[in-house]
Every structure is written in structure tokens, then in C-alpha cells.
Amino acid sequence: MAAAQGRLSDGTGGMDDAKGTGEGSGRTSSAPPAFLTAVEALRGSRLRPQIEVEPTRAPQRLAPHAYALEATVVDGDQDLADGRLVLLHDPAGHDAWRGTFRLVTLVRAELEAEMAADPLLPEVCWSWLTGALQARGLTYGEPSGTVTRASSHYFGGLSERPSASQIEIRASWTPREGLGGVPDAAAHLAAWSDLLAQVAGLPPAGPGDAAVVTLPQRRGPHSR
């Protein structure tokens, strides 16, 4: 089992330029030390083995520095949920964030029809996010987001396909900065993985259930 590994470039362009640090050339980055420390914490984190994770290209216009991971929750030959976590950093600070770091996420999973019909589902899913952060003892500010559920019904040449429902959580929050202005990025990643597992319907992880499997390529939640 391998830890999530990414590489930082010197900001000359490509997937890891100064506005989007993701997988790249592996050269020394000119990003601020606080950001590099947080990124290294993400890269060195270990999660439960059902969560396959890898670095991915980060958005280039949300902040001067960004690093992104994507993950899939796997059970046997089933992809139960997937998501993306982006770490943003603006050394000058950001009024809306009330800090210099921001975490942004997208989590989605397919649902059983009965669960999708629950009118309280959006509130429950949002509580899974805040509950995961609180359970890890994390302090954070300015949370915001949406919970969306969608149903697909097939007709004509696709009429043999069963109806499908999906939940999607989009959220962002400001992690509290610790010594040196660095947030506990590894703990926030662990909380995010708890959210992924809960959305996927996995049971709580056991004491020794912590490792990362690298993901060859991104997939949506479906049978392999």
C-alpha cells in the first residue's frame, strides 16, 4: 500500500504552475513554505484501504497556489463513491475565507431509491461533513456548500436501464492555521475520507484499517 504522492514543479507551467500545484515535473516549487508543508502532509497521509487516492490537476484561478487529490471508494468490483479535495492558499489572505487557506470538496455517490426519497437527506449529508470534522477535533470557519440529489430515468433505446439516483456534496471551509501558519492538512484529509466512507455506506474503520491504494485513473461510481 502506498501513501498518496504528488510532485511539485518550479512554476514554469503545466499541471503544477504557481496557480495550480498538482502532479508535475518534480522540480522544487517556489510556493510558500506554509503551503509546501501542508501539501507534504497530504501526500504523506494514509487512509483506509477501500479509498483509492491520487493527485490530480488543481484549478488554476481560485487562488495563487492550489493542490488537489481525487479519490474513489471501492468495495470489491464496485465503485461506491468518488470525490475531489482541493487545498487553496493565498498568502495575502482572502476576505471571504477569513484566512490564507481554504479546502474545497466535491463528493458524490449513487443512492438506493428509498434513501434518495428521504426529504431530510440533504440535511443529513451536510451533517456528515460537519460531523466528520468535529469527530477529528478540527476547528474551522466560514463553511459553505450545497447538497444536490438527482434522479435519472431512461427512455427509448435506454429504457432497459434502471432508474438511478445520485447525491452530490459541494462544500468549502477554512481550516484553522497552527504553528507557522500551517493548517493540519492531514487531519482534514482524514475527516474528508470519513465523509467519503460514510456517503459510500462503509462501516466505521477499525483501528488498523489505514492505508492508501493508488488509483490508476479516475472513475465515477459504478461497477468495474
Side-chain angles (χ1 to χ4, degrees):
M1 304 298 182
Q5 292 293 319
R7 293 173 293 172
L8 303 177
S9 80
D10 60 0
T12 57
M15 295 180 71
D16 325 346
D17 59 24
K19 292 186 179 180
T21 306
E23 280 192 299
S25 66
R27 295 188 292 271
T28 302
S29 174
S30 60
F35 177 71
L36 295 179
T37 299
V39 168
E40 286 303 314
L42 292 177
R43 293 171 60 193
S45 295
R46 291 186 174 273
L47 310 177
R48 61 193 295 177
Q50 296 94 338
I51 299 178
E52 300 178 342
V53 63
E54 70 173 4
T56 187
R57 180 165 184 165
Q60 300 182 6
R61 295 181 176 85
L62 297 181
H65 307 281
Y67 183 80
L69 294 170
E70 62 183 8
T72 300
V73 182
V74 176
D75 183 18
D77 63 350
Q78 295 289 317
D79 291 352
L80 303 179
D82 66 2
R84 177 174 294 193
L85 183 69
V86 182
L87 176 69
L88 304 175
H89 180 51
D90 186 342
H94 196 292
D95 290 341
W97 302 353
R98 296 181 180 265
T100 62
F101 283 89
R102 188 76 170 170
L103 284 161
V104 181
T105 187
L106 164 66
V107 172
R108 59 188 179 183
E110 293 186 2
L111 299 172
E112 298 291 341
E114 186 174 324
M115 186 177 183
D118 187 340
L120 297 178
L121 181 65
E123 288 82 1
V124 169
C125 288
W126 183 257
S127 73
W128 287 346
L129 169 62
T130 58
L133 293 169
Q134 293 165 7
R136 293 278 177 175
L138 296 169
T139 55
Y140 60 94
E142 310 306 314
S144 64
T146 62
V147 178
T148 305
R149 56 183 162 189
S151 297
S152 298
H153 302 271
Y154 301 95
F155 301 94
L158 301 177
S159 60
E160 293 184 359
R161 293 189 184 182
S163 298
S165 298
Q166 187 180 75
I167 193 74
E168 180 180 274
I169 303 171
R170 293 179 180 266
S172 63
W173 64 94
T174 299
R176 183 173 69 85
E177 298 168 18
L179 294 176
V182 182
D184 191 346
H188 282 271
L189 175 59
W192 180 70
S193 72
D194 294 340
L195 169 66
L196 267 174
Q198 192 158 19
V199 169
L202 295 182
D209 196 5
V212 166
V213 181
T214 56
L215 181 65
Q217 61 183 18
R218 188 172 187 277
R219 297 178 295 273
H222 56 71
S223 297
R224 297 187 174 195

